Amino acid sequence: MDCPEARDHLAELARNRLEPEVAEIVRAHAAGCATCADALQVEVGLHALIREQAPRYSAPPALRARVQAALRTAERPMASGWRAWLLLHPWQASGLAGALAALVAVWVATGWLAADPASRLVSLAVEEHVEYAQEAMHRPPPNPAELLAALRSRAGFALGPLFPGDTEAPLMSTTTAELRGKPAVALVYRNGPGRYTTLLLMPGADVAIPAEDRLAIETFKPHRRVTSGKQVLFWKQNDLACLLVSDLDGPATAAFFLKIRKAA
Amino acid sequence: MDDSLSQLRAEALTHLDGLYNLARWLVRDPAEAEDLVQETFLRALRGFHQFRAGTNLRAWLFQILRNTFFTQYRKRGREAEAVDPDVLDTMAIRLGPASGAGSPSGASSGTLSVDLRAALEHLPDDYRAVVVLADVEDFTMTEVADIMGCPVGTVKSRLFRARAILQELLRDYVR
């Protein structure tokens, strides 16, 4: 056994996790090699020092209580994400769009752009979104100009012109989110009772739109997929990557897409 | 109910302190650490179907925390820390006796716990995570590699380099 090989085993040897015969070979090498013997001594000493003396931080009781509550309510697989999110973020429990954007952000960041398993998260996001959106239906639509102004000031990147909603599809809420460590924003429109559409925008410089499954809508060709009956469109405009998730059917989603796309 | 969710609900709280401990070592700020742990549990609940019941739940939760930190928190204005071996060799040399910089503050405080904390905080994020996982949480090298999403050899290399830095910073306590 040479020094690099021996060094490779020092950490496990210091923790008594090597097979006895391998441990014996490493010890035999260290017995005849001052460098490796020193390294083993340092490894043993530092491991013990850190294990015994490094500060250990305990979770605050309030955090424990929140996590406990979130775990307790995680009974229904399709609902667990939203319920847990609201329990873990009680100060934003009224922030429907925040919750939605957080979920959308996660599934985009962790899956959909790279692979398909996130389809499950897409349906989770949309179904739960509808459930909570229905609870928010009694609220009158807020002032879209104020919503958009606030969003622009918080976004951290240029949003360009945005569809402010109209009488058919008022803008209900906006929020900032984070995608792959980059800022993003979400806008939630209400297309009717229990029917919502979420538009997610993020800087698009390094975001690739899938080349396949393009849907021709007038002169535009966004990538389209349907997940759990929900329409999803994905495209770029200006320097932004845009994701639209809608409860509407295909033609209505395409029509709504045009409103959003032409506003930009 | 799904077996993996049952296991998550039954066991998750027993790992809360360890997760929070790692979060504190990574982000340092208590409120941010709470956020990181909360996000970890949220992701775990959302992704529990990806977890195979009966396998290593503890390592899986730590992996989620580590991924969340490295994909979100560190990029949120936190400077990406150098993991280039050459840079670290330079750092180890700079911190060595010849430079006179014996501890992060430039001098030993004379108190082990203070100096140990300062030395660990001085490590780059990747190295500190490996040290906390391997020394404090007592994960095996293979588990640390799974959690960190890198080969076992990289873990050993990071640990070895971290040792070199710590040895210099803590030379009043180890030889």
Side-chain angles (χ1 to χ4, degrees):
Chain A
M1 175 171 282
D2 58 16
C3 289
E5 278 181 282
R7 211 170 71 178
D8 205 41
H9 292 301
L10 292 185
E12 298 290 32
L13 179 62
R15 291 160 176 77
N16 291 319
R17 284 181 178 147
L18 280 186
E19 295 292 320
E21 54 271 29
V22 181
E24 196 50 47
I25 296 170
V26 180
R27 281 201 192 91
H29 171 84
C33 172
T35 306
C36 288
D38 280 351
L40 178 59
Q41 192 177 354
V42 167
E43 179 59 38
V44 170
L46 275 173
H47 174 60
L49 183 75
I50 294 167
R51 190 183 57 195
E52 290 158 18
Q53 303 289 336
R56 291 210 64 164
Y57 302 99
S58 296
L63 172 64
R64 183 172 294 275
R66 281 200 298 279
V67 170
Q68 204 161 13
L71 288 168
R72 205 167 37 234
T73 57
E75 293 168 335
R76 191 162 64 89
M78 289 303 285
S80 59
W82 278 101
R83 299 265 155 68
W85 194 93
L86 290 167
L87 282 162
L88 288 167
H89 301 77
W91 56 93
Q92 293 179 38
S94 61
L96 162 70
L100 176 68
L103 261 189
V104 172
V106 168
W107 63 250
V108 171
T110 57
W112 196 53
L113 294 179
D116 207 48
S119 297
R120 183 184 164 101
L121 278 177
V122 173
S123 60
L124 166 65
V126 177
E127 287 186 19
E128 293 296 321
H129 158 61
V130 169
E131 186 177 328
Y132 285 93
Q134 284 173 333
E135 291 173 12
M137 268 173 50
H138 303 295
R139 287 187 304 168
N143 181 325
E146 288 176 9
L147 272 187
L148 292 179
L151 186 66
R152 287 182 198 285
S153 69
R154 297 197 314 266
F157 59 97
L159 296 176
L162 292 170
F163 179 56
D166 55 21
T167 52
E168 288 178 4
L171 179 63
M172 296 302 291
S173 56
T174 61
T175 189
T176 55
E178 195 169 275
L179 289 179
R180 293 175 161 178
K182 291 180 181 174
V185 299
L187 300 90
V188 182
Y189 301 88
R190 188 168 73 196
N191 302 103
R195 292 156 79 86
Y196 287 76
T197 296
T198 295
L199 173 66
L200 194 79
L201 306 171
M202 72 207 91
D206 54 357
V207 177
I209 311 295
E212 69 280 8
D213 298 324
R214 296 298 185 107
L215 176 68
I217 307 174
E218 290 191 2
T219 57
F220 307 107
K221 284 193 174 176
H223 170 76
R224 171 182 178 260
R225 66 170 66 187
V226 180
T227 304
S228 299
K230 308 301 175 188
Q231 303 285 324
V232 180
L233 297 175
F234 188 20
W235 73 99
K236 280 191 184 183
Q237 62 189 36
N238 305 324
D239 294 319
L240 299 175
C242 310
L243 264 161
L244 188 142
V245 183
S246 183
D247 301 330
L248 298 169
D249 62 18
T253 299
F256 191 58
F257 162 83
L258 279 177
K259 283 186 180 179
I260 286 174
R261 185 70 184 86
K262 286 181 175 176
Chain B
M1 196 187 339
D2 191 289
D3 284 347
S4 52
L5 179 58
S6 301
Q7 189 184 350
L8 180 64
R9 291 179 67 185
E11 283 184 37
L13 276 181
T14 64
H15 307 308
L16 181 62
D17 279 336
L19 291 164
Y20 180 76
N21 185 51
L22 177 61
R24 277 294 297 268
W25 281 110
L26 289 174
V27 302
R28 301 174 204 182
D29 177 71
E32 268 195 70
E34 280 197 50
D35 284 349
L36 178 54
V37 173
Q38 288 183 183
E39 183 62 24
T40 298
F41 276 96
L42 176 65
R43 289 185 177 202
L45 284 168
R46 222 164 35 228
F48 71 85
H49 58 278
Q50 297 167 349
F51 173 71
R52 278 190 298 130
T55 58
N56 193 337
L57 178 70
R58 182 166 171 257
W60 185 69
L61 289 170
F62 274 81
Q63 187 180 40
I64 295 173
L65 188 143
R66 180 266 172 199
N67 288 344
T68 306
F69 170 70
F70 280 90
T71 54
Q72 289 194 3
Y73 287 78
R74 195 167 74 168
K75 290 176 184 168
R76 190 189 288 170
R78 190 179 288 268
E79 193 176 329
E81 298 186 50
V83 290
D84 181 335
D86 293 338
V87 172
L88 285 158
D89 284 344
T90 307
M91 180 189 288
I93 291 164
R94 195 175 68 240
L95 294 167
S99 69
S103 76
S105 59
S108 166
S109 73
T111 307
L112 171 58
S113 62
V114 172
D115 289 338
L116 182 54
R117 181 197 304 247
L120 290 171
E121 287 182 348
H122 197 72
L123 294 174
D125 290 344
D126 291 313
Y127 289 49
R128 191 167 56 256
V130 166
V131 168
V132 171
L133 291 169
D135 289 329
V136 182
E137 299 301 334
D138 215 28
F139 281 109
T140 66
M141 294 299 126
T142 307
E143 288 171 326
V144 176
D146 286 344
I147 292 167
M148 297 298 293
C150 65
V152 174
T154 305
V155 170
K156 289 178 176 174
S157 165
R158 286 177 183 171
L159 189 63
F160 190 81
R161 290 176 184 280
R163 291 289 187 249
I165 298 169
L166 292 173
Q167 189 186 8
E168 288 300 333
L169 296 175
L170 298 168
R171 64 177 182 275
D172 289 350
Y173 307 101
V174 289
R175 59 172 294 275

